[in-house]
């Protein structure tokens, strides 16, 4: 078994090691900081931060990678009915979404205060987006992530009522189709997401597809989509 040394990132630049040479588990590097520019550089290279409170910042690019191609989303008959029961909005309550994602994982969360701070800044910059699911005017589910080029990097989702997070994912796939996204990065294997159509692909293939996606137009700025029923209301910003 070959020995793999995990490098410490320099505080003076935002350079990362090539993730193609990381271990299968995917730990690429540690240290550095969570400056928004470093975060954007990491995601462009197929790397994301994932660590627990008290640990150094850990940077990952796992092999395999879980990816959802928007056109391959699987919608069950019951979920199709649920789509008509919720209102879905985008980018109207990013802070509410990321904090609900954190609160449902208290005691076992990587969504630490500094992660919330940097993603809220990236939201203000127009890179981070939220898909919000409402029932009777109350936020009951959603997801958030980063949009760069033709790639959406999903971070986390939450659900306070049945099917709410699934509805958010279906609507994200529809938005991805509208905007011409190549894929939604789901990062690590999840049986729940696999049942909805996500698939594991080799890290090398993911990095190749990411390189292509980054040559395409980025949709920076506030998203203004609204779904009042099963039909997309054309309010794209």
């Amino acid at each position: 078994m070959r020995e793999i040394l995990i490098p410490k990132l320099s505080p003076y630049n935002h350079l990362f090691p090539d993730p193609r040479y990381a271990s299968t588990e995917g730990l690429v590097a540690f240290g550095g900081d969570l400056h928004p520019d470093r975060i954007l550089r990491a995601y462009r290279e197929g790397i994301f931060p994932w660590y627990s409170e008290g640990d150094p910042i850990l940077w990952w690019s796992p092999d395999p990678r879980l990816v959802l191609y928007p056109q391959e989303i699987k919608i069950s008959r019951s979920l199709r009915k649920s789509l008509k029961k919720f209102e879905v909005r985008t980018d109207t309550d990013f802070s509410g979404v990321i904090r609900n994602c954190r609160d449902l994982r208290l005691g076992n969360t990587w969504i630490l205060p500094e992660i919330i701070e940097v993603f809220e800044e990236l939201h203000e910059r127009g890179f981070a987006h939220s898909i919000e699911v409402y029932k009777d005017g109350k936020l009951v589910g959603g997801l958030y992530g980063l949009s760069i080029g033709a790639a959406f990097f999903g971070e986390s989702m939450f659900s306070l009522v049945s099917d709410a997070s699934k509805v958010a994912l279906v609507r994200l796939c529809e938005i991805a189709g509208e905007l011409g996204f190549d894929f939604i990065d789901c990062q690590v294997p999840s049986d729940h997401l696999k049942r909805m159509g996500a698939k594991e692909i080799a890290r090398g293939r993911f990095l190749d597809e990411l390189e292509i996606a980054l040559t395409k137009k980025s949709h920076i700025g506030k998203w203004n989509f609204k779904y009042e029923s099963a039909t997309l209301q054309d309010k794209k910003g």
Side-chain angles (χ1 to χ4, degrees), residues 39-48 119 146 153 155 210:
I39 293 287
L40 292 174
R41 177 70 176 263
Y43 279 82
R44 289 186 178 108
E45 297 190 20
I47 300 167
F48 57 87
F119 271 88
L146 286 178
F153 303 88
E155 284 296 302
L210 174 59

Side-chain angles (χ1 to χ4, degrees), residues 1 15 44 87 155 208 221:
M1 180 182 296
L15 299 178
R44 289 186 178 108
E87 179 186 0
E155 284 296 302
D208 289 343

Side-chain angles (χ1 to χ4, degrees), residues 15 37 45 58 60 85 88 99 102 149 165 172 182 201:
L15 299 178
D37 291 342
E45 297 190 20
L58 304 177
W60 299 83
K85 299 177 181 178
V88 178
R99 282 168 170 75
R102 173 203 62 191
S165 62
L172 173 60
D182 290 350
I201 63 174

Side-chain angles (χ1 to χ4, degrees), residues 119-206:
F119 271 88
E120 287 184 331
E121 181 167 345
L122 288 168
H123 175 65
E124 290 301 315
R125 290 192 183 190
F127 289 97
H129 303 280
S130 58
I131 313 297
E132 308 143 15
V133 180
Y134 293 85
K135 182 70 172 177
D136 299 325
K138 180 181 178 182
L139 181 66
V140 295
L143 60 82
Y144 75 96
L146 286 178
S147 168
I148 309 175
F152 186 88
F153 303 88
E155 284 296 302
S156 187
M157 57 175 58
F158 81 97
S159 184
L160 300 179
V161 300
S162 179
D163 283 349
S165 62
K166 294 179 182 179
V167 167
L169 185 60
V170 170
R171 296 312 189 192
L172 173 60
C173 286
E174 295 185 15
I175 291 169
E178 288 278 315
L179 299 180
F181 286 174
D182 290 350
F183 60 80
I184 297 166
D185 174 29
C186 304
Q187 298 182 342
V188 296
S190 159
D191 290 338
H192 167 64
L193 292 175
K194 287 180 183 179
R195 287 192 292 270
M196 294 193 69
K199 62 176 63 175
E200 294 179 58
I201 63 174
R203 177 171 59 207
R205 174 181 165 185
F206 171 78

